[in-house]
Amino acid sequence: MKTTPLFAAALLSCALSMPLEAAEHAKNPSSGASAAQLQPKADAGNAGAQRELADRYYDGDGVEQSYVLAAQWYAKAAEQGDAVAQFALGYMYDEGQGVALDDSRAIALYAQAAEQNHPGAQYNLALMYDVGEGVAVDDLKAIDWYWRAAEQGHADAQYNLALMYDEGEGVPVNDEKALRWYLRAAEQGHADAQFNLALMYDMGEGTPVNDREAVRWYTAAAEQGDATAQYNLALMYDEGEGVPVNDQLAVEWYRRSAEQGDRDAQYNLALMYDEGEGVALDDAEALNWYTFAAEQGHVSAQYNLAIMYDEGEGTRQDNKAAIKWYTAAAEQGNKDAQYNLAVMYDEGEGTREDNKAAIKWYGAAAQQGEPSAMFNLGIMYMNGEGVRTNPRMAYLLFSLCAAQGLPDAREARELMAERLSQAELATAQRAAAEWQLDTPLPAL
């Protein structure tokens, strides 16, 4: 029998430091002069002309592209205190463009530009301290420079500063400040900030739960291609949180996330096809998306895929494939898969009959309280199938599943009681009363 798993509801946090800002960012406005026009001024020592000429060589704008010449002209302007040139040259040392990679030199140049209030340099300097690149990790210095850049509107700095408050790196956790900086970055279109802001509204961190705001910001991030935002937005439409239930939109956003490889979205999309929610019921499409998720280790997808092969839904019946996917899910602890796998070994479906394997998997499922597994394992102990006959263990197992109301378990328990001495019966009854779910079954 097919067990329909619940929709996954995990909302994932994004905690990525952004890449170093490229040298072409935050340049001063160009004069529009050609390289030939800039050359005499640069030769005469004009810092602005030197920096612009370096820009031309960096980009290959009107000249043959050359990082080496770009670095040489940035260096001349940097020596005269040009902050943009200091930043650009720092980036080149950071990346090893036209110069040998040198983190220490990069830090020194970023610091010179940062002190002149260059936001890109402040951000990159903060990042060096944040990740310990060329310098020991120093969260306090990272926060200081992120803050300076963030106050100037640098979206990546605002996002990383929010992360520091969100995760308590260098400062106590402060959800309100994290929310504020995520919001400022999100309003500038920063996709990761939009996602994390949505997550805070969704979970009520730093603000009361606000599903409508969560939907708003998940949508903003989802439209920029964030796969997890797409998945979470689909969940909101699927479950009617902050928006009316809309299975069609849920399917659309699950699909966009699934196509980017999100295994939870792949699973939920499969489930929509499996149940005909928001789309026409389509076993072949369900099988397709369960397979994608199963191959990424999604346990419920593995189980449902096994069911489809077991029952021939969306594909021809294939017991060997069913065993493969039941095994994958069983090894991850899915009790339904453990039980179905045991049945296949017990009855020799898709494999030779193997009582020992059946006992192993019945036992694993029974340990999790699966009553049918308890009953079948009890039968094996009663009849000595793959194990020595053991009326005490059979009584214990029948007693446990009888307590869950399984038909025939009470009669089987009473049958075993007749085979036990008073002492054996008391021992088995005490063991049944003392056994705790998810602990090994007693050995009687």
Side-chain angles (χ1 to χ4, degrees), residues 197-411:
L197 180 62
L199 199 63
M200 297 192 81
Y201 281 117
D202 200 352
M203 303 182 75
E205 295 181 355
T207 179
V209 170
N210 189 328
D211 289 337
R212 289 187 178 182
E213 281 296 292
V215 168
R216 173 191 173 192
W217 290 110
Y218 281 142
T219 301
E223 289 175 345
Q224 293 198 66
D226 186 293
T228 309
Q230 292 166 345
Y231 169 70
N232 284 4
L233 182 59
L235 278 178
M236 304 292 276
Y237 281 112
D238 200 354
E239 299 176 358
E241 296 180 357
V243 286
V245 170
N246 189 321
D247 289 338
Q248 289 76 25
L249 283 176
V251 168
E252 177 185 338
W253 287 112
Y254 281 141
R255 184 184 308 281
R256 290 174 66 171
S257 180
E259 288 173 347
Q260 293 195 69
D262 186 291
R263 69 176 193 171
D264 293 319
Q266 291 168 345
Y267 167 71
N268 280 10
L269 181 59
L271 205 57
M272 302 293 272
Y273 277 111
D274 203 353
E275 300 181 348
E277 295 183 359
V279 288
L281 191 149
D282 189 329
D283 287 339
E285 277 294 291
L287 184 87
N288 180 52
W289 288 109
Y290 281 141
T291 300
F292 281 124
E295 288 174 346
Q296 293 195 72
H298 193 292
V299 62
S300 295
Q302 292 169 341
Y303 172 71
N304 279 11
L305 184 59
I307 287 284
M308 297 192 82
Y309 280 115
D310 198 356
E311 300 182 356
E313 296 179 2
T315 182
R316 65 179 179 81
Q317 188 178 31
D318 186 338
N319 286 335
K320 288 186 177 179
I323 287 175
K324 170 187 173 181
W325 291 112
Y326 280 141
T327 301
E331 288 175 345
Q332 291 199 70
N334 183 293
K335 67 179 181 180
D336 296 312
Q338 291 168 343
Y339 171 72
N340 284 6
L341 182 59
V343 169
M344 297 192 82
Y345 280 116
D346 196 358
E347 299 180 358
E349 295 180 3
T351 182
R352 65 179 178 82
E353 186 175 323
D354 187 336
N355 287 333
K356 288 187 177 180
I359 288 170
K360 171 187 173 181
W361 291 114
Y362 280 141
Q367 186 171 308
Q368 295 190 69
E370 212 295 323
S372 295
M374 291 175 173
F375 186 82
N376 285 8
L377 186 58
I379 293 290
M380 298 189 83
Y381 276 109
M382 181 177 72
N383 295 333
E385 297 174 8
V387 66
R388 287 184 179 181
T389 301
N390 188 330
R392 296 180 301 281
M393 282 299 299
Y395 178 91
L396 167 75
L397 289 159
F398 291 145
S399 181
L400 291 173
C401 57
Q404 297 189 56
L406 191 73
D408 301 327
R410 183 174 296 178
E411 182 180 346

Side-chain angles (χ1 to χ4, degrees), residues 13-14 161-169 171-175 178 182 196 200 205:
S13 178
C14 182
L161 183 60
L163 278 179
M164 304 289 276
Y165 282 112
D166 199 355
E167 299 180 354
E169 294 182 4
V171 287
V173 170
N174 189 318
D175 289 338
Y182 281 141
N196 280 11
M200 297 192 81
E205 295 181 355

Side-chain angles (χ1 to χ4, degrees), residues 99-119:
V99 291
L101 192 148
D102 188 336
D103 288 337
S104 297
R105 183 70 178 133
I107 288 170
L109 286 159
Y110 285 149
Q112 290 173 20
E115 293 290 356
Q116 295 191 67
N117 225 27
H118 188 291

Side-chain angles (χ1 to χ4, degrees), residues 149-192:
E151 289 284 9
Q152 293 195 72
H154 193 292
D156 290 335
Q158 292 167 343
Y159 171 70
N160 280 11
L161 183 60
L163 278 179
M164 304 289 276
Y165 282 112
D166 199 355
E167 299 180 354
E169 294 182 4
V171 287
V173 170
N174 189 318
D175 289 338
E176 291 77 13
K177 286 185 178 180
L179 185 83
R180 176 157 58 94
W181 287 112
Y182 281 141
L183 178 60
R184 289 182 63 175
E187 288 172 340
Q188 295 194 68
H190 194 292
D192 291 325

